[in-house]
Amino acid sequence: EVQLVESGGGLVQPGGSLRLSCAVSGFTFSSYWMHWVRQAPGKGLVCVSRINGDGSNIDYADSVKGRFTISRDNAKNTLYLQMNSLRAEDTAVYYCVREWRAFDIWGQGTMVSVSS
Amino acid sequence: EIVLTQSPATLSLSQGERATLSCRTSQSISRYLNWYQQTPGQTPRLLIYGASDRATDTPVRFSGSGSGTDFTLTISSLEPEDFAVYYCQQRFIWPYTFGQGTKVEIK
């Protein structure tokens, strides 16, 4: 069964850091572009970052550039998002997503709350 | 950044009625347009990719059309489980962007 399971969310103060993980199973992880997509409470979907299969191509949304770092460990079938200098506007559910012609497989999401 | 504008914001319809949702992009994206469905408290689910191809397990009552800048998602006859929010998304150029969503609600 294809599965994406995020972890690492939580409550953090402004300026703090969190590291999200996404454990993947059921498909050849290294063959796919992977993304982090976030959704603020009651709002729409926003692409945060993406990484190709071998980690050689990476892109970020302007809103997180310089603060977030995406990475992957293909040996561990795991995707990561290191989030530094967190702001209140980063509060959202963060989804790990596989891309194949579209965002075809989504994780259940992990909530990140940035508040003092 | 490509901006996607969905209309209407809310569509109030009854079970069995036909729903027509629109998505317009700020520049041409060929057919790199996808549609997703999200029910309350749930993860988004891919319905349509490449403007008109149904994803695995997408019922045939869902159909997509369009190319360039104008796209349409049609639900031929609404079932109870279809009342949800629908998002369009372009993957023509990074950053991939989503529309603001159309809520299909029970009239």
Side-chain angles (χ1 to χ4, degrees), chain A residues 5-58:
Chain A
V5 180
E6 301 95 334
S7 59
L11 175 63
V12 62
Q13 292 187 337
S17 299
L18 278 177
R19 189 195 198 201
L20 306 184
S21 298
C22 172
V24 164
S25 59
F27 64 95
T28 305
F29 180 56
S30 60
S31 296
Y32 292 87
W33 281 85
M34 297 296 296
H35 295 246
W36 288 99
V37 176
R38 70 184 181 186
Q39 186 170 34
K43 302 297 184 182
L45 300 163
V46 177
C47 291
V48 172
S49 184
R50 68 173 179 173
I51 185 168
N52 72 333
D54 65 8
S56 61
N57 284 286
I58 287 173

Side-chain angles (χ1 to χ4, degrees), chain B residues 9-82:
Chain B
T10 303
L11 200 51
S12 298
L13 295 168
S14 301
Q15 183 178 336
E17 288 194 295
R18 182 183 188 91
T20 302
L21 288 67
S22 174
C23 178
R24 181 164 292 178
T25 60
S26 60
Q27 65 184 76
S28 179
I29 61 167
S30 184
R31 295 177 61 81
Y32 289 89
L33 192 285
N34 307 314
W35 290 95
Y36 301 86
Q37 176 194 63
Q38 189 176 31
T39 52
Q42 298 299 310
T43 297
R45 167 197 170 196
L46 175 65
L47 290 176
I48 301 285
Y49 65 92
S52 61
D53 292 324
R54 275 186 288 274
T56 304
D57 297 332
T58 299
V60 295
R61 62 181 180 273
F62 291 90
S63 63
S65 64
S67 65
T69 61
D70 288 294
F71 300 87
T72 300
L73 175 70
T74 302
I75 311 171
S76 60
S77 178
L78 283 164
E79 296 289 340
E81 60 269 28
D82 299 337

Side-chain angles (χ1 to χ4, degrees), chain A residues 12-20 38 46-49 58-71 80-92 94 112 114:
Chain A
V12 62
Q13 292 187 337
S17 299
L18 278 177
R19 189 195 198 201
L20 306 184
R38 70 184 181 186
V46 177
C47 291
V48 172
S49 184
I58 287 173
D59 290 296
Y60 298 98
D62 286 345
S63 58
V64 307
K65 205 171 291 184
R67 301 188 298 123
F68 289 11
T69 302
I70 191 172
S71 62
Y80 302 100
L81 185 68
Q82 177 66 43
M83 304 187 294
N84 298 331
S85 303
L86 282 161
R87 307 167 180 167
E89 54 264 35
D90 296 319
T91 294
Y94 284 73
V112 172
V114 184

